[in-house]
Coordinates of all heavy atoms in Angstrom, one line a residue:
Chain A
Y84 N -49.8 -18.0 -3.9 CA -49.7 -19.2 -3.2 C -50.6 -19.4 -2.0 O -50.7 -20.4 -1.4 CB -48.2 -19.6 -2.9 CG -47.4 -19.6 -4.2 CD1 -46.2 -18.8 -4.2 CD2 -47.8 -20.3 -5.2 CE1 -45.5 -18.8 -5.4 CE2 -47.0 -20.3 -6.4 CZ -45.9 -19.5 -6.5 OH -45.2 -19.5 -7.6
N108 N -39.7 -11.0 -7.5 CA -39.1 -12.0 -6.5 C -37.6 -11.7 -6.3 O -36.8 -12.1 -7.2 CB -39.4 -13.4 -7.2 CG -38.8 -14.4 -6.3 OD1 -38.4 -14.2 -5.1 ND2 -38.9 -15.7 -6.7
Y110 N -35.8 -13.4 -4.5 CA -35.2 -14.7 -4.3 C -34.6 -15.1 -5.6 O -33.6 -15.8 -5.7 CB -36.3 -15.7 -3.9 CG -35.7 -16.8 -3.1 CD1 -35.6 -16.7 -1.7 CD2 -35.3 -18.0 -3.7 CE1 -35.1 -17.8 -1.0 CE2 -34.8 -19.1 -3.0 CZ -34.7 -18.9 -1.6 OH -34.2 -20.0 -0.9
A111 N -35.2 -14.8 -6.7 CA -34.8 -15.1 -8.0 C -33.9 -14.1 -8.6 O -33.3 -14.3 -9.7 CB -35.9 -15.5 -9.0
G112 N -33.7 -13.0 -7.9 CA -32.8 -11.9 -8.4 C -33.4 -11.0 -9.4 O -32.7 -10.2 -10.0
D113 N -34.7 -11.0 -9.7 CA -35.2 -10.1 -10.6 C -35.9 -8.8 -10.1 O -36.7 -8.1 -10.7 CB -36.2 -10.8 -11.6 CG -37.5 -11.3 -10.9 OD1 -37.5 -11.1 -9.6 OD2 -38.4 -11.8 -11.5
T140 N -25.9 -10.5 -6.6 CA -26.4 -9.6 -7.6 C -26.0 -8.1 -7.2 O -26.3 -7.2 -8.0 CB -27.9 -9.6 -7.8 OG1 -28.5 -9.4 -6.6 CG2 -28.3 -11.0 -8.4
R159 N -38.5 -19.0 7.8 CA -38.6 -20.2 7.1 C -37.5 -21.2 7.3 O -37.7 -22.3 7.7 CB -38.6 -19.8 5.6 CG -38.8 -21.0 4.6 CD -38.2 -20.7 3.2 NE -38.6 -19.5 2.7 CZ -39.5 -19.3 1.7 NH1 -40.1 -20.3 1.2 NH2 -39.7 -18.1 1.2
A217 N -45.5 -30.2 0.1 CA -46.3 -29.8 -1.0 C -46.7 -31.0 -1.9 O -46.6 -31.1 -3.0 CB -45.5 -28.8 -2.0
W220 N -48.1 -31.1 -5.6 CA -47.7 -30.0 -6.5 C -47.2 -30.5 -7.8 O -47.4 -30.0 -8.8 CB -46.6 -29.2 -5.7 CG -45.9 -28.1 -6.5 CD1 -44.9 -28.3 -7.3 CD2 -46.2 -26.7 -6.4 NE1 -44.5 -27.1 -7.9 CE2 -45.3 -26.1 -7.3 CE3 -47.1 -26.0 -5.7 CZ2 -45.2 -24.7 -7.5 CZ3 -47.1 -24.6 -5.9 CH2 -46.1 -24.0 -6.8
Q221 N -46.3 -31.6 -7.7 CA -45.9 -32.3 -8.9 C -46.7 -33.6 -9.0 O -46.6 -34.4 -8.2 CB -44.5 -32.7 -8.8 CG -43.5 -31.5 -8.8 CD -42.1 -32.0 -9.1 OE1 -41.8 -32.2 -10.2 NE2 -41.2 -32.1 -8.1
V222 N -47.6 -33.6 -10.0 CA -48.6 -34.7 -9.9 C -48.0 -36.1 -10.1 O -48.6 -37.1 -9.7 CB -49.7 -34.4 -11.0 CG1 -50.5 -33.2 -10.6 CG2 -49.1 -34.3 -12.4
D223 N -46.9 -36.2 -10.8 CA -46.4 -37.6 -11.1 C -45.1 -37.8 -10.3 O -44.3 -38.7 -10.7 CB -46.1 -37.7 -12.6 CG -45.1 -36.6 -13.1 OD1 -44.8 -35.7 -12.3 OD2 -44.6 -36.8 -14.2
F224 N -45.0 -37.2 -9.2 CA -43.7 -37.4 -8.5 C -43.8 -37.3 -7.0 O -44.6 -36.5 -6.5 CB -42.7 -36.2 -9.0 CG -41.4 -36.3 -8.3 CD1 -40.5 -37.3 -8.6 CD2 -41.1 -35.4 -7.3 CE1 -39.3 -37.3 -8.0 CE2 -39.9 -35.4 -6.6 CZ -39.0 -36.4 -7.0
W227 N -40.9 -34.7 -2.1 CA -40.0 -33.7 -1.5 C -40.3 -33.7 0.0 O -41.4 -33.9 0.5 CB -40.4 -32.3 -1.9 CG -40.0 -31.8 -3.3 CD1 -38.8 -32.3 -4.0 CD2 -40.6 -30.9 -4.1 NE1 -38.7 -31.7 -5.2 CE2 -39.8 -30.7 -5.2 CE3 -41.7 -30.1 -4.0 CZ2 -40.1 -29.9 -6.3 CZ3 -42.0 -29.1 -5.0 CH2 -41.2 -29.1 -6.1
Y246 N -38.2 -38.6 9.4 CA -37.4 -39.6 8.6 C -36.3 -39.0 7.7 O -35.2 -39.5 7.8 CB -38.5 -40.3 7.7 CG -37.8 -41.2 6.7 CD1 -37.1 -42.3 7.0 CD2 -38.0 -41.0 5.3 CE1 -36.5 -43.1 6.1 CE2 -37.4 -41.8 4.4 CZ -36.7 -42.9 4.8 OH -36.1 -43.7 3.8
L250 N -31.6 -39.1 7.1 CA -30.9 -39.3 5.8 C -29.9 -38.2 5.4 O -28.8 -38.4 4.9 CB -31.9 -39.5 4.6 CG -32.8 -40.7 4.8 CD1 -33.8 -40.7 3.6 CD2 -32.1 -42.0 4.9
A251 N -30.4 -37.0 5.6 CA -29.5 -35.9 5.2 C -29.8 -34.6 6.0 O -30.9 -34.4 6.5 CB -29.9 -35.5 3.7
Y254 N -31.9 -28.7 4.0 CA -33.2 -28.1 4.2 C -34.2 -28.9 3.4 O -35.2 -29.3 3.8 CB -33.1 -26.6 3.7 CG -34.4 -25.9 3.6 CD1 -35.0 -25.3 4.7 CD2 -35.1 -25.8 2.5 CE1 -36.2 -24.7 4.7 CE2 -36.3 -25.1 2.4 CZ -36.9 -24.6 3.5 OH -38.1 -23.9 3.5
V256 N -34.9 -32.3 1.0 CA -34.4 -33.7 0.8 C -35.4 -34.3 -0.2 O -36.6 -34.3 0.1 CB -34.3 -34.5 2.0 CG1 -33.8 -35.9 1.7 CG2 -33.4 -33.8 3.0
T257 N -34.9 -34.9 -1.3 CA -35.9 -35.7 -2.2 C -35.9 -37.2 -1.8 O -34.9 -37.8 -1.9 CB -35.5 -35.5 -3.6 OG1 -35.3 -34.1 -3.8 CG2 -36.5 -36.1 -4.5
L258 N -37.0 -37.7 -1.4 CA -37.1 -39.0 -0.9 C -37.5 -39.9 -1.9 O -38.2 -39.6 -2.9 CB -38.1 -39.1 0.3 CG -37.8 -38.3 1.5 CD1 -39.0 -38.5 2.5 CD2 -36.5 -38.8 2.2
S259 N -37.0 -41.2 -1.9 CA -37.6 -42.2 -2.8 C -38.7 -42.9 -2.1 O -38.7 -43.2 -0.9 CB -36.5 -43.2 -3.2 OG -36.4 -44.4 -2.4
L260 N -39.8 -43.2 -2.9 CA -41.0 -43.8 -2.3 C -40.6 -45.2 -1.7 O -41.2 -45.6 -0.7 CB -42.0 -43.9 -3.4 CG -43.4 -44.5 -3.0 CD1 -43.9 -43.8 -1.9 CD2 -44.3 -44.4 -4.2
E261 N -39.7 -45.9 -2.4 CA -39.4 -47.2 -1.8 C -38.8 -47.1 -0.5 O -39.0 -47.9 0.5 CB -38.4 -47.9 -2.8 CG -38.1 -49.3 -2.4 CD -37.1 -50.0 -3.3 OE1 -37.0 -49.7 -4.5 OE2 -36.4 -50.9 -2.8
G262 N -37.9 -46.1 -0.3 CA -37.3 -45.8 1.1 C -38.4 -45.6 2.1 O -38.3 -46.1 3.3
I264 N -41.5 -46.6 2.0 CA -42.3 -47.9 2.3 C -41.4 -48.8 3.2 O -42.0 -49.4 4.1 CB -42.5 -48.6 0.9 CG1 -43.5 -47.9 0.0 CG2 -43.0 -50.0 1.1 CD1 -43.6 -48.4 -1.4
E265 N -40.1 -48.8 3.0 CA -39.3 -49.7 3.8 C -39.2 -49.1 5.2 O -39.1 -49.9 6.2 CB -37.8 -49.7 3.2 CG -36.9 -50.6 3.9 CD -37.3 -52.1 4.0 OE1 -38.2 -52.5 3.2 OE2 -36.7 -52.8 4.8
R282 N -52.0 -22.8 -10.2 CA -51.6 -24.0 -10.9 C -52.7 -25.0 -10.9 O -52.8 -25.8 -10.0 CB -50.3 -24.7 -10.3 CG -49.1 -23.8 -10.4 CD -48.0 -24.4 -9.6 NE -47.6 -25.7 -10.0 CZ -46.6 -26.0 -10.8 NH1 -45.9 -25.0 -11.4 NH2 -46.4 -27.2 -11.2
E284 N -53.4 -27.7 -12.2 CA -53.2 -29.1 -12.3 C -52.9 -29.8 -11.0 O -52.9 -31.1 -10.9 CB -52.2 -29.5 -13.3 CG -50.7 -29.3 -12.8 CD -50.2 -27.8 -12.9 OE1 -51.0 -27.0 -13.2 OE2 -49.1 -27.6 -12.6
A310 N -50.4 -45.2 -5.4 CA -49.6 -46.5 -5.4 C -48.5 -46.3 -4.5 O -47.7 -45.3 -4.5 CB -49.2 -46.8 -6.8
G311 N -48.3 -47.2 -3.5 CA -47.2 -47.2 -2.6 C -47.7 -46.6 -1.2 O -47.2 -47.0 -0.2
D314 N -50.8 -48.9 0.9 CA -50.5 -50.0 1.7 C -49.7 -49.7 2.9 O -49.3 -50.6 3.7 CB -49.8 -51.1 0.9 CG -50.7 -51.6 -0.3 OD1 -51.8 -51.9 0.1 OD2 -50.3 -51.6 -1.4
Y331 N -45.3 -22.9 7.2 CA -43.9 -23.1 7.0 C -43.1 -21.8 6.9 O -41.9 -21.8 7.0 CB -43.6 -24.0 5.9 CG -43.2 -23.4 4.5 CD1 -42.0 -23.8 3.9 CD2 -44.0 -22.5 3.9 CE1 -41.7 -23.2 2.7 CE2 -43.7 -22.0 2.7 CZ -42.6 -22.3 2.1 OH -42.2 -21.8 0.9
Chain B
G46 N -32.1 -51.7 -3.8 CA -32.9 -50.6 -3.4 C -32.9 -50.4 -1.9 O -32.4 -51.3 -1.2
P47 N -33.5 -49.4 -1.4 CA -33.6 -49.2 0.0 C -34.3 -50.4 0.8 O -33.9 -50.6 1.9 CB -34.5 -47.9 0.2 CG -34.6 -47.3 -1.1 CD -34.2 -48.3 -2.1
A48 N -35.3 -51.0 0.1 CA -36.0 -52.1 0.8 C -35.1 -53.4 0.6 O -34.6 -53.6 -0.6 CB -37.3 -52.3 0.2
N49 N -35.0 -54.2 1.5 CA -34.2 -55.4 1.5 C -35.0 -56.6 0.9 O -35.8 -57.2 1.7 CB -33.6 -55.8 2.8 CG -32.1 -55.6 2.8 OD1 -31.5 -55.7 1.8 ND2 -31.6 -55.3 4.0
P67 N -48.5 -57.0 -0.7 CA -48.8 -55.7 -1.3 C -47.6 -54.9 -1.4 O -47.3 -54.2 -2.4 CB -49.8 -55.1 -0.4 CG -50.5 -56.2 0.3 CD -49.5 -57.4 0.4
K68 N -46.7 -55.0 -0.3 CA -45.5 -54.2 -0.3 C -44.5 -54.6 -1.5 O -44.0 -53.7 -2.1 CB -44.8 -54.3 1.1 CG -43.5 -53.5 1.2 CD -43.0 -53.8 2.7 CE -41.5 -53.6 2.6 NZ -40.9 -53.9 4.0
V71 N -45.8 -53.4 -4.8 CA -45.5 -52.0 -5.2 C -44.0 -51.9 -5.5 O -43.7 -51.2 -6.5 CB -45.9 -51.2 -3.9 CG1 -45.5 -49.7 -4.2 CG2 -47.5 -51.1 -3.9
I72 N -43.2 -52.4 -4.6 CA -41.7 -52.1 -4.8 C -41.3 -52.8 -6.1 O -40.6 -52.0 -6.9 CB -41.0 -52.7 -3.6 CG1 -41.3 -51.8 -2.4 CG2 -39.5 -52.7 -3.9 CD1 -40.6 -52.3 -1.1
K75 N -44.4 -51.7 -9.3 CA -44.7 -50.3 -9.6 C -43.5 -49.4 -9.5 O -43.5 -48.4 -10.1 CB -45.7 -49.8 -8.6 CG -47.0 -50.6 -8.8 CD -48.3 -49.8 -8.6 CE -49.5 -50.4 -9.0 NZ -49.7 -51.7 -8.2
L76 N -42.5 -49.8 -8.7 CA -41.3 -48.9 -8.6 C -40.1 -49.3 -9.3 O -39.5 -48.6 -10.1 CB -41.0 -48.6 -7.0 CG -42.1 -48.0 -6.2 CD1 -41.8 -47.9 -4.8 CD2 -42.5 -46.6 -6.7
R77 N -39.6 -50.5 -9.0 CA -38.3 -50.9 -9.5 C -38.3 -51.3 -11.0 O -37.5 -50.9 -11.8 CB -37.7 -52.0 -8.7 CG -37.2 -51.6 -7.3 CD -36.4 -52.7 -6.7 NE -36.2 -52.4 -5.3 CZ -35.7 -53.3 -4.4 NH1 -35.4 -54.5 -4.9 NH2 -35.5 -53.0 -3.2
A125 N -44.0 -24.8 -18.7 CA -45.1 -25.5 -17.9 C -44.8 -25.2 -16.4 O -45.8 -24.9 -15.7 CB -45.1 -26.9 -18.2
I126 N -43.7 -25.4 -16.0 CA -43.4 -25.3 -14.6 C -43.5 -23.9 -14.0 O -44.1 -23.7 -12.9 CB -42.0 -25.9 -14.2 CG1 -42.0 -27.4 -14.5 CG2 -41.5 -25.6 -12.8 CD1 -40.6 -28.1 -14.5
G138 N -52.1 -33.4 -16.0 CA -50.9 -33.5 -15.3 C -49.6 -33.8 -16.1 O -48.5 -33.5 -15.7
F140 N -48.7 -32.2 -18.6 CA -48.4 -31.1 -19.5 C -46.9 -30.7 -19.5 O -46.4 -30.2 -20.5 CB -49.3 -29.9 -19.3 CG -49.0 -29.1 -18.1 CD1 -49.0 -27.7 -18.1 CD2 -48.8 -29.7 -16.9 CE1 -48.8 -27.0 -17.0 CE2 -48.6 -28.9 -15.7 CZ -48.6 -27.6 -15.8
Q189 N -35.9 -19.1 -15.4 CA -35.3 -19.5 -14.2 C -35.2 -18.3 -13.2 O -35.4 -18.4 -12.1 CB -33.9 -20.1 -14.4 CG -34.0 -21.5 -14.8 CD -32.6 -22.1 -15.0 OE1 -31.7 -21.4 -15.2 NE2 -32.5 -23.4 -15.0
Y190 N -34.8 -17.2 -13.9 CA -34.6 -16.0 -13.1 C -35.9 -15.5 -12.4 O -35.8 -15.0 -11.3 CB -34.1 -14.9 -14.1 CG -33.1 -14.0 -13.5 CD1 -31.9 -14.5 -12.9 CD2 -33.2 -12.6 -13.5 CE1 -30.9 -13.7 -12.4 CE2 -32.3 -11.8 -12.9 CZ -31.1 -12.4 -12.4 OH -30.2 -11.5 -11.9
G191 N -37.0 -15.8 -13.0 CA -38.3 -15.3 -12.4 C -39.0 -16.4 -11.6 O -40.0 -16.1 -11.1
A192 N -38.4 -17.5 -11.5 CA -39.1 -18.6 -10.9 C -39.1 -18.5 -9.4 O -38.1 -18.0 -8.8 CB -38.5 -20.0 -11.3
S193 N -40.1 -19.0 -8.8 CA -40.2 -19.1 -7.3 C -39.2 -20.2 -6.8 O -38.8 -21.0 -7.6 CB -41.5 -19.3 -6.7 OG -42.0 -20.6 -6.9
E194 N -39.1 -20.2 -5.5 CA -38.2 -21.2 -4.9 C -38.6 -22.7 -5.3 O -37.8 -23.5 -5.7 CB -38.2 -21.0 -3.4 CG -37.4 -22.0 -2.6 CD -38.0 -22.1 -1.2 OE1 -39.1 -21.6 -0.9 OE2 -37.3 -22.7 -0.3
M195 N -39.9 -22.9 -5.2 CA -40.4 -24.3 -5.4 C -40.4 -24.6 -6.9 O -40.0 -25.7 -7.3 CB -41.8 -24.4 -4.9 CG -42.1 -25.8 -4.4 SD -43.1 -25.9 -2.9 CE -44.6 -25.1 -3.3
Q196 N -40.7 -23.6 -7.8 CA -40.6 -23.8 -9.2 C -39.2 -24.1 -9.6 O -38.9 -25.0 -10.5 CB -41.2 -22.6 -9.9 CG -42.6 -22.4 -9.8 CD -43.1 -21.0 -10.2 OE1 -42.3 -20.2 -10.2 NE2 -44.3 -21.0 -10.5
A198 N -36.8 -25.4 -7.8 CA -36.4 -26.8 -7.3 C -37.0 -27.8 -8.3 O -36.2 -28.7 -8.7 CB -37.0 -27.0 -6.0
Q199 N -38.2 -27.6 -8.8 CA -38.8 -28.5 -9.7 C -38.1 -28.5 -11.0 O -37.8 -29.6 -11.7 CB -40.3 -28.1 -9.9 CG -41.1 -29.2 -10.6 CD -42.6 -28.7 -10.7 OE1 -43.0 -27.7 -10.2 NE2 -43.3 -29.5 -11.6
F202 N -34.6 -30.0 -10.9 CA -34.7 -31.5 -10.8 C -35.1 -32.1 -12.1 O -34.6 -33.1 -12.5 CB -35.7 -31.8 -9.7 CG -35.5 -33.2 -9.2 CD1 -34.5 -33.5 -8.3 CD2 -36.3 -34.2 -9.5 CE1 -34.3 -34.7 -7.8 CE2 -36.1 -35.5 -9.0 CZ -35.1 -35.8 -8.2
S207 N -34.4 -37.5 -14.1 CA -34.9 -38.4 -13.1 C -35.6 -39.6 -13.7 O -36.5 -39.4 -14.6 CB -35.8 -37.7 -12.1 OG -36.4 -38.6 -11.3
S209 N -37.4 -41.5 -11.6 CA -38.4 -41.9 -10.7 C -39.8 -41.6 -11.1 O -40.7 -42.0 -10.4 CB -38.1 -41.1 -9.3 OG -38.0 -39.8 -9.5
R210 N -40.0 -40.9 -12.2 CA -41.3 -40.8 -12.7 C -41.8 -41.9 -13.6 O -42.8 -41.8 -14.3 CB -41.5 -39.5 -13.6 CG -41.4 -38.2 -12.9 CD -40.8 -37.2 -13.7 NE -40.0 -36.2 -12.9 CZ -40.6 -35.3 -12.3 NH1 -41.8 -34.9 -12.5 NH2 -39.9 -34.5 -11.5
K215 N -45.2 -45.1 -19.8 CA -44.1 -44.5 -20.4 C -43.2 -45.5 -21.0 O -42.6 -45.4 -22.1 CB -43.4 -43.6 -19.4 CG -44.2 -42.4 -19.0 CD -43.5 -41.5 -18.0 CE -44.4 -40.4 -17.6 NZ -43.8 -39.6 -16.4
T324 N -27.1 -42.6 -1.2 CA -27.8 -42.6 0.1 C -29.1 -43.4 0.0 O -30.0 -42.8 -0.6 CB -28.0 -41.2 0.7 OG1 -26.9 -40.4 0.4 CG2 -28.4 -41.2 2.1
P325 N -29.2 -44.5 0.5 CA -30.5 -45.2 0.3 C -31.6 -44.4 0.9 O -31.5 -43.9 2.0 CB -30.3 -46.6 1.1 CG -28.8 -46.8 1.2 CD -28.2 -45.3 1.2
G326 N -32.7 -44.3 0.1 CA -33.8 -43.5 0.6 C -33.9 -42.1 0.0 O -34.9 -41.5 0.0
I327 N -32.8 -41.6 -0.6 CA -32.8 -40.3 -1.2 C -32.7 -40.4 -2.7 O -31.9 -41.3 -3.2 CB -31.6 -39.4 -0.7 CG1 -31.9 -39.1 0.8 CG2 -31.5 -38.1 -1.5 CD1 -30.9 -38.2 1.4
V328 N -33.4 -39.7 -3.4 CA -33.3 -39.7 -4.9 C -32.3 -38.7 -5.4 O -32.5 -37.5 -5.1 CB -34.8 -39.4 -5.5 CG1 -34.6 -39.5 -7.0 CG2 -35.7 -40.5 -5.1

Side-chain angles (χ1 to χ4, degrees):
Chain A
Y84 304 126
N108 181 6
Y110 207 89
D113 64 356
T140 55
R159 187 204 310 256
W220 172 278
Q221 297 198 72
V222 292
D223 57 351
F224 178 74
W227 278 336
Y246 171 62
L250 300 178
Y254 175 80
V256 181
T257 307
L258 297 177
S259 93
L260 183 51
E261 188 183 327
I264 293 171
E265 183 61 15
R282 294 172 59 97
E284 79 281 3
D314 299 308
Y331 95 125
Chain B
N49 250 331
K68 181 178 148 182
V71 168
I72 289 176
K75 298 217 169 60
L76 298 176
R77 287 191 190 169
I126 291 167
F140 76 133
Q189 279 180 339
Y190 217 54
S193 77
E194 177 204 17
M195 211 141 62
Q196 290 164 338
Q199 191 182 350
F202 203 76
S207 165
S209 53
R210 289 150 213 275
K215 291 177 183 172
T324 313
I327 293 188
V328 178

